[in-house]
Amino acid sequence: MRNVLIPTDFSVASLELADKTAQSLEGESLNIILFHAFEIPFFVSDVFDIRGKLPYADLVTEAFRNACKRVKLQHPKTIRSIVIRHQYGNTAAVFRNFVDANEIDLIVCPDFYVYQSVHSGSVNPVPLFQKGGVPLMKEFKPKRKLVEEEPVQEQTPVQKPAAAGKRIPETLLTKDHHYAVKEEYPAAIHIRQNTV
């Protein structure tokens, strides 16, 4: 089981990284840790707001929670859990302690990732990821497309067309055979069609 760290700005769009990670690492068992870093507060009272909530409590919306559940349900064999973790601090040493405490095996930070500050104390995690000493996933494997196999059609033995003067019994005519006969013997088919 791998513990995979994925940066988040608590938007539904940011969960696309979790979805692409699950597709790329299909067949493995993953614990996904959605990560956001905050500046170390100057006062102890700044750790929690007036109501005693964490700084990201208002950022985690019901839509974000539902999107997390959807991603997990889309990859039931790959994703074991999705959790939200944060850290206070913007130094490599603090981040290494976080990595060790959460036993992080892989960090997802693709080249196209753009940091979004969503809180006055938010910290850009990319420099921390680069100094964290943990392997970085910068590219995703292309999504596999399921190729539908065409059903095998039973082939009936093709009868050789009869001579121009002979009539082929109705039971031996197939659609393909009928057209083949029409191409080779258009007059015979024309007469036959008029007589019926």
Side-chain angles (χ1 to χ4, degrees), residues 3-75:
N3 295 326
V4 180
L5 188 84
I6 299 176
T8 186
D9 59 3
F10 307 105
S11 68
V12 173
S14 69
L15 292 176
E16 184 181 344
L17 291 178
D19 185 47
K20 287 183 176 181
T21 301
Q23 290 173 11
S24 293
L25 300 176
E26 190 176 5
E28 296 188 40
S29 182
L30 307 176
N31 289 324
I32 292 182
I33 299 166
L34 300 174
F35 175 79
H36 197 85
F38 296 94
E39 291 283 349
I40 296 175
F42 189 72
F43 298 106
V44 176
S45 60
D46 292 340
V47 173
F48 298 98
D49 67 1
I50 298 170
R51 298 166 291 177
K53 291 184 177 180
L54 292 170
Y56 63 83
D58 293 331
L59 300 173
V60 180
T61 62
E62 196 61 33
F64 182 76
R65 289 180 196 276
N66 290 335
C68 288
K69 290 176 187 175
R70 272 194 305 275
V71 170
K72 188 176 177 200
L73 289 174
Q74 287 173 349
H75 307 281

Side-chain angles (χ1 to χ4, degrees), residues 12-180:
V12 173
S14 69
L15 292 176
E16 184 181 344
L17 291 178
D19 185 47
K20 287 183 176 181
T21 301
Q23 290 173 11
S24 293
L25 300 176
E26 190 176 5
E28 296 188 40
S29 182
L30 307 176
N31 289 324
I32 292 182
I33 299 166
L34 300 174
F35 175 79
H36 197 85
F38 296 94
E39 291 283 349
I40 296 175
F42 189 72
F43 298 106
V44 176
S45 60
D46 292 340
V47 173
F48 298 98
D49 67 1
I50 298 170
R51 298 166 291 177
K53 291 184 177 180
L54 292 170
Y56 63 83
D58 293 331
L59 300 173
V60 180
T61 62
E62 196 61 33
F64 182 76
R65 289 180 196 276
N66 290 335
C68 288
K69 290 176 187 175
R70 272 194 305 275
V71 170
K72 188 176 177 200
L73 289 174
Q74 287 173 349
H75 307 281
K77 293 181 180 177
T78 305
I79 299 176
R80 297 286 175 212
S81 67
I82 297 178
V83 296
I84 301 169
R85 297 278 187 263
H86 72 285
Q87 83 169 26
Y88 288 110
N90 58 359
T91 63
V94 171
F95 183 68
R96 281 193 205 104
N97 288 338
F98 178 89
V99 166
D100 291 342
N102 291 281
E103 300 175 350
I104 305 298
D105 301 314
L106 179 68
I107 298 173
V108 176
C109 186
D111 294 329
F112 61 83
Y113 173 73
V114 177
Y115 163 70
Q116 297 280 338
S117 178
V118 293
H119 187 272
S120 59
S122 291
V123 172
N124 185 355
V126 175
L128 300 176
F129 295 163
Q130 293 168 347
K131 298 174 185 175
V134 177
L136 291 173
M137 177 186 258
K138 293 191 170 205
E139 293 180 356
F140 297 108
K141 292 180 185 174
K143 187 177 181 181
R144 284 195 245 162
K145 294 180 180 178
L146 296 176
V147 178
E148 294 183 16
E149 293 182 16
E150 294 183 17
V152 179
Q153 297 177 357
E154 292 183 22
Q155 295 183 355
T156 56
V158 177
Q159 300 289 330
K160 290 184 180 179
K166 294 183 182 177
R167 184 177 172 148
I168 299 173
E170 291 286 331
T171 55
L172 295 178
L173 282 175
T174 63
K175 184 178 179 181
D176 294 332
H177 184 68
H178 180 72
Y179 291 128

